[in-house]
Amino acid sequence: MSILKQLVFTPKCLICSRLGVEICLSCIKGVTPFRSKDLSEITDCFCAGEYSGWLRDALICYKNGDARYVELLSQVLYNTLDKFLGVNNLTLIPIPSSHQKIKERGFDSVTNICSNMIQRDKSLAMDETNLFLRRIVLDQVGLTAAQRHSNLEGAFGIRRTVHGTVVVVDDVVTTGATLNSAARTLKFAGAQRVFALALCGSPKTR
């Protein structure tokens, strides 16, 4: 292979731009997974890291339509799941994106991350069509806690019965209104326990 072809096709870390790898292990270790805040409908909520640094930047790029970041984000989320719950026989349920968001980005952001996690480990399963948005909801950014709760109240619907333990997946946990609303719907459909998994959030404090 010519030097020019090596330069053109050599992978480069999306975080630190190091040549030769698409994702640096040292960069991945730069975030520390943690238990997030207590949520009324959630057994436990786990986050890959805080909403800061390269994790925040990568998530923003991804949500703005740069699908290259799906590998990176799914890796840190998979590591988080494995650290706290293990991965055997778990079903992931992604928070559904609105049709408008899917159209703008060209993909369903959370479902894509879950799909990538399943490709990494076939013991995981995903139920991406069961939970759905019953109506249009406002963008949660800028809303107060009370407004977020009102915005999501009754927003989710369910198509089929749910059994056992499930893990609902989202990108960011702020007040937890989205996760609580989704978990309430899943429990109504039969889920015994609902865990939550997110890329970014705030650590649990006591």
Side-chain angles (χ1 to χ4, degrees):
M1 181 182 289
S2 69
I3 294 177
L4 178 61
K5 290 183 71 176
Q6 290 181 37
L7 289 173
V8 171
F9 295 105
T10 298
K12 183 171 65 173
C13 178
L14 287 169
I15 305 168
C16 68
S17 299
R18 175 187 172 191
L19 293 176
V21 292
E22 293 183 352
I23 304 171
C24 294
L25 290 179
S26 59
C27 290
I28 291 291
K29 292 178 181 178
V31 294
T32 304
F34 53 78
R35 278 183 169 83
S36 189
K37 62 180 66 181
D38 290 328
L39 301 175
S40 60
E41 302 293 337
I42 300 291
T43 301
D44 240 330
C45 179
F46 308 109
C47 295
E50 296 189 55
Y51 190 65
S52 61
W54 71 256
L55 184 58
R56 175 200 59 200
D57 295 342
L59 180 56
I60 289 173
C61 288
Y62 179 61
K63 292 178 72 172
N64 282 336
D66 193 339
R68 295 178 302 162
Y69 286 89
V70 68
E71 293 278 347
L72 169 63
L73 297 176
S74 64
Q75 179 66 66
V76 296
L77 204 58
Y78 177 86
N79 291 350
T80 303
L81 181 65
D82 191 32
K83 174 182 174 68
F84 289 108
L85 291 178
V87 294
N88 291 329
N89 303 316
L90 288 177
T91 298
L92 307 179
I93 299 183
I95 293 294
S97 298
S98 68
H99 293 301
Q100 181 62 33
K101 290 295 184 183
I102 294 173
K103 183 178 179 180
E104 290 173 359
R105 294 170 184 154
F107 52 84
D108 187 323
S109 56
V110 180
T111 297
N112 270 16
I113 289 174
C114 291
S115 295
N116 196 278
M117 290 172 66
I118 290 172
Q119 291 173 17
R120 295 172 185 279
D121 195 318
K122 300 300 182 183
S123 66
L124 288 171
M126 176 173 66
D127 188 353
E128 73 273 28
T129 62
N130 201 359
L131 189 70
F132 67 95
L133 284 171
R134 298 174 58 191
R135 57 177 173 79
I136 296 174
V137 296
L138 300 175
D139 193 320
Q140 295 280 81
V141 177
L143 299 182
T144 65
Q147 289 171 332
R148 286 170 181 258
H149 176 79
S150 177
N151 186 39
L152 272 300
E153 185 67 28
F156 294 106
I158 201 81
R159 294 187 173 94
R160 297 178 298 279
T161 301
V162 179
H163 301 284
T165 297
V166 296
V167 181
V168 63
V169 183
D170 204 358
D171 48 15
V172 179
V173 183
T174 307
T175 64
T178 300
L179 292 173
N180 268 337
S181 181
R184 195 175 299 114
T185 303
L186 292 167
K187 287 179 177 179
F188 181 78
Q192 294 177 343
R193 292 197 301 171
V194 180
F195 288 93
L197 183 67
L199 284 162
C200 300
S202 300
K204 182 177 180 178
T205 57
R206 292 189 182 276

